[in-house]
Structures are given as C-alpha cells and as structure tokens.
Amino acid sequence: DQQVKQNSPSLSVQEGRISILNCDYTNSMFDYFLWYKKYPAEGPTFLISISSIKDKNEDGRFTVFLNKSAKHLSLHIVPSQPGDSAVYFCAARGNAGNMLTFGGGTRLMVKP
Amino acid sequence: DSGVTQTPKHLITATGQRVTLRCSPRSGDLSVYWYQQSLDQGLQFLIQYYNGEERAKGNILERFSAQQFPDLHSELNLSSLELGDSALYFCASTSVQGNTEAFFGQGTRLTVV
C-alpha cells in the first residue's frame, strides 16, 4: 500500500526551462510534506517543505505547491540548471514518531 | 555534510551471514530512523528509535533488528542474509521536537553474494 506516489520515474527538461515534479498521497492524516534531492552515492538532502495549512512555499528557484483536496503536491524548479540533475523524493509526515513516508522518486535530467 | 555518520560505507558479505551497520546521529538529535533503498526504488522505512526506545516500526524483516545506545548512536543488525537484502541502508536523524526534516547519512551499500 503506497501512501506516497511519484508516478513519473523520470523527467527530462532543457536548461533554463521549468521542471515540475509531481507527487500524490492517499493518507489525509499527513500534515507536513518535504522534498529531498539525492545524488548518486550520497544520502538524500533536504530541499524544501510545506505544512498542510499552506498551499505554497517558495525558496529561491524552488517552489512547492500543495493541493489538499486533490492530495497532490508538486515541486517547481525555475530556471532548471544542469546541477539540478538528481533523483527527487517527496516525503510526507503524519504517522507516529515523525516518521517520513517516501515516494519512489523521480529522476530529473536537465540538459544543457 | 549532514552531520549524520554511517559506517561502513560499503560491505560485501555472503548469504547466511550477519552484519552490523552503525549510525551516529547529528549532535543533539535524539531520534534515529533506518531506511532501505533497493535498486533505484524509493526509501522504505524500517524502524525508528527515540532516546533509546523503539518508537515506530515499518517493513522490517524479523531477521533484522536495531537498537539505540545511551550515547544515541544506533546499530542495525541484519542476520541470515539473503541476496535480496542487497541494498543501500540509510540512517537519518531529527530532533523530533520542532525540526521536522530528517538529515540523512551517506548510507551503507550492502552487497550479499
């Protein structure tokens, strides 16, 4: 039972364009959502988060949007840079112990 | 550098063997999480400890166990290893109170041959 799903395993965009990564969840008890970025041979690195009481959070080139009614969140990267090429995981909190439930990840490739 | 230290970085062992993975959380963090990532899949939550006590359990096999010691470091023990246990094992820590984002170590790549 996957409570957090990233339906696109990969995404390719041109440098300078917008990258949109999507994530869907099923558990309405989740109250906090996060995006992590992962390079090969490294651990995931926290990128940006959003509380369930908000619908948007922006940090530089990164913006996360939350649509609670649709149980959907997205990460926008504008403009995309080659260094953004990595695997992006969305995660949600709401279970006991602050445990994070992760999606399967989306591999983003930004072409120069 | 996340401040979370995992050792060893790589481990190769034979089926049927037992291994121990070690994690030192960030200074001051009381909560430690273990995750497994198999072959480009997502991170599967295994188990969480908070200040020495088990707090939450995920899809952790009975052959696997963990503990958190008084100095807050944690160990994940994997026994009767099978080929399918080959994966990246990540440890993460958080203070639980306030800060929600978990900080991850670089992981231990376990290869069972």
Side-chain angles (χ1 to χ4, degrees), chain A residues 93 97-98, chain B residues 30-31 33 48 50 55 94-100:
Chain A
R93 184 196 77 174
N98 267 13
Chain B
L30 300 177
S31 198
Y33 305 77
Q48 180 208 356
Y50 176 73
R55 187 74 174 261
T94 182
S95 61
V96 177
Q97 301 297 333
N99 229 8
T100 300

Side-chain angles (χ1 to χ4, degrees), chain B residues 4-7 20-25 29-34 47-53 65-77 90-93:
Chain B
V4 178
T5 305
Q6 287 187 249
T7 56
T20 297
L21 313 184
R22 182 189 168 103
C23 170
S24 294
D29 283 358
L30 300 177
S31 198
V32 169
Y33 305 77
W34 286 96
I47 197 164
Q48 180 208 356
Y49 277 82
Y50 176 73
N51 204 18
E53 292 189 4
S65 64
Q67 54 185 327
Q68 186 178 27
F69 294 87
D71 67 352
L72 300 177
H73 91 271
S74 178
E75 293 181 356
L76 180 66
N77 300 297
F90 288 103
C91 165
S93 76

Side-chain angles (χ1 to χ4, degrees), chain B residues 54-84:
Chain B
E54 182 183 303
R55 187 74 174 261
K57 220 167 184 175
N59 297 321
I60 187 166
L61 300 171
E62 284 192 12
R63 299 184 285 108
F64 296 1
S65 64
Q67 54 185 327
Q68 186 178 27
F69 294 87
D71 67 352
L72 300 177
H73 91 271
S74 178
E75 293 181 356
L76 180 66
N77 300 297
L78 315 176
S79 61
S80 303
L81 284 168
E82 302 174 358
L83 296 177

Side-chain angles (χ1 to χ4, degrees), chain A residues 23-82:
Chain A
C23 180
D24 296 297
Y25 62 96
T26 58
N27 189 342
S28 56
M29 298 302 290
F30 288 142
D31 64 353
Y32 203 81
F33 302 89
L34 305 89
W35 285 93
Y36 280 81
K37 177 178 178 180
K38 186 181 179 305
Y39 292 116
E42 294 184 13
T45 304
F46 170 73
L47 196 56
I48 192 170
S49 62
I50 188 167
S51 165
S52 61
I53 62 173
K54 296 186 175 180
D55 55 19
K56 177 183 174 180
N57 187 26
E58 193 172 350
D59 183 2
R61 296 185 298 114
F62 303 91
T63 303
V64 57
F65 294 92
L66 175 63
N67 182 333
K68 280 186 68 178
S69 60
K71 294 192 176 69
H72 176 84
L73 67 156
S74 60
L75 174 69
H76 292 209
I77 307 174
V78 183
S80 301
Q81 300 173 353

Side-chain angles (χ1 to χ4, degrees), chain A residues 9-29:
Chain A
S10 65
L11 174 67
S12 181
V13 300
Q14 207 65 37
E15 180 180 6
R17 294 291 188 91
I18 183 171
S19 295
I20 300 176
L21 296 95
N22 294 303
C23 180
D24 296 297
Y25 62 96
T26 58
N27 189 342
S28 56
M29 298 302 290

